[in-house]
Amino acid sequence: MNESNQLPLQLQSRVTLCSREEAARAVAAEIATLVRARPDAVLGLATGRSPIAVYAELLRLHHEEGLDFGRVVTFNLDEYRGLAPDDPRSFRAFMRARLFEPAGFDPARTHVPDGAVPDAELESACAAYERAIAGAGGLDLQILGIGRNGHVGFDEPGSPADSRTRSVALAPETRADAAGAFGSLDAVPRAAITMGIATILSARRIRVLAFGATKADAVCAALTGPVGPDVPASFLRRHRDVRFFVDEAAAARLRAVRSR
Ligand code: GLP
């Protein structure tokens, strides 16, 4: 792991340059410390490719070191509208398969927005999600990926700093990125329920994972561009305990910042 060299000085407090595996070990170790200190810790979780290695490492810690997730409380960032929790393409199904079941989480303590909630109940369901997070004591640590367009969760460009859990329209590039998982672009839902920027920023710690060249522009914009709704991930710079774990490819444009 390389916390310093090759990155501009002003980025070093927020960015760790490392491999996907090193990031997974570091973030999982941090979660393990949190859970050992407080077995009912509250985790904010993400789906997508970026956190998969973290979840695999948490599984290893569960099986090999007896890390107990039985009382841990979780809140996922987002879910596609129109997908029931048992739909294999849902984020609930992803979490169940990758983490919740194999690592022994209590299903009653795992929360994912309900994508199948009827329109008439949408607003109250989103408000209830916010209340549940607050009622659990707030998020101790939020894991985040970052979209190619700088989104976090499904907070697409245009999402304001004070946004909370709500229904959003998905950006064309986000739907295009999801087409593989749904078989075709047409099959990708057009909307999702997502925690808002303010929800995410309320977490006590935020750990962002970004790997590969496709993330280089978003990572650079988030860390060095203007802070604002055009690049929702830029709002993360307002948080006092945020760390981006990025590999060489995702950091490519950050090194260019230094050499200017
Ligand atoms: C989706 C998710 C985000 C995720 C992003 C990046 O849009 N809603 O939470 O961060 O994709 O996904 P990946 O990690 O697969 O690159």
Side-chain angles (χ1 to χ4, degrees), residues 115-139:
V117 71
D119 285 356
E121 292 163 31
L122 184 61
E123 217 170 297
S124 62
C126 291
Y129 203 69
E130 289 285 331
R131 276 199 308 277
I133 294 171
L139 303 165

Side-chain angles (χ1 to χ4, degrees), residues 114-173:
D114 179 2
V117 71
D119 285 356
E121 292 163 31
L122 184 61
E123 217 170 297
S124 62
C126 291
Y129 203 69
E130 289 285 331
R131 276 199 308 277
I133 294 171
L139 303 165
D140 289 311
L141 186 150
Q142 176 67 54
I143 294 180
L144 279 184
I146 181 168
R148 253 191 319 141
N149 62 359
H151 76 207
V152 286
F154 273 136
D155 288 297
E156 300 284 23
S159 297
D162 62 357
S163 50
R164 291 279 174 181
T165 302
R166 68 205 187 289
S167 179
V168 294
L170 296 177
E173 54 274 33

Side-chain angles (χ1 to χ4, degrees), residues 32-212:
T33 302
L34 200 60
V35 170
R36 287 190 178 109
R38 200 156 77 74
D40 59 349
V42 183
L43 303 178
L45 300 177
T47 51
R49 287 174 298 277
S50 307
I52 286 178
V54 174
Y55 300 153
E57 176 64 6
L58 289 177
L59 268 188
R60 190 193 67 76
L61 291 170
H62 174 67
H63 289 305
E64 294 180 13
E65 298 181 21
L67 184 61
D68 184 1
F69 293 106
R71 291 176 55 201
V72 170
V73 180
T74 70
F75 290 90
N76 263 76
L77 282 166
D78 47 16
E79 181 62 278
Y80 291 110
R81 294 280 318 269
L83 297 195
D86 59 353
D87 188 309
R89 300 162 305 178
S90 69
F91 288 161
R92 163 64 81 177
F94 173 102
M95 292 307 302
R96 198 187 300 125
R98 297 269 177 187
L99 185 67
F100 295 157
E101 273 185 12
F105 282 74
D106 173 359
R109 293 172 196 250
T110 64
H111 306 83
V112 181
D114 179 2
V117 71
D119 285 356
E121 292 163 31
L122 184 61
E123 217 170 297
S124 62
C126 291
Y129 203 69
E130 289 285 331
R131 276 199 308 277
I133 294 171
L139 303 165
D140 289 311
L141 186 150
Q142 176 67 54
I143 294 180
L144 279 184
I146 181 168
R148 253 191 319 141
N149 62 359
H151 76 207
V152 286
F154 273 136
D155 288 297
E156 300 284 23
S159 297
D162 62 357
S163 50
R164 291 279 174 181
T165 302
R166 68 205 187 289
S167 179
V168 294
L170 296 177
E173 54 274 33
T174 300
R175 294 188 65 241
D177 285 348
F182 283 85
S184 75
L185 183 58
D186 262 0
V188 180
R190 294 182 180 276
I193 297 175
T194 183
M195 283 186 199
I197 298 294
T199 323
I200 292 168
L201 291 180
S202 73
R204 287 181 271 281
R205 300 182 212 179
I206 300 176
R207 301 296 178 255
V208 189
L209 303 157
F211 311 110

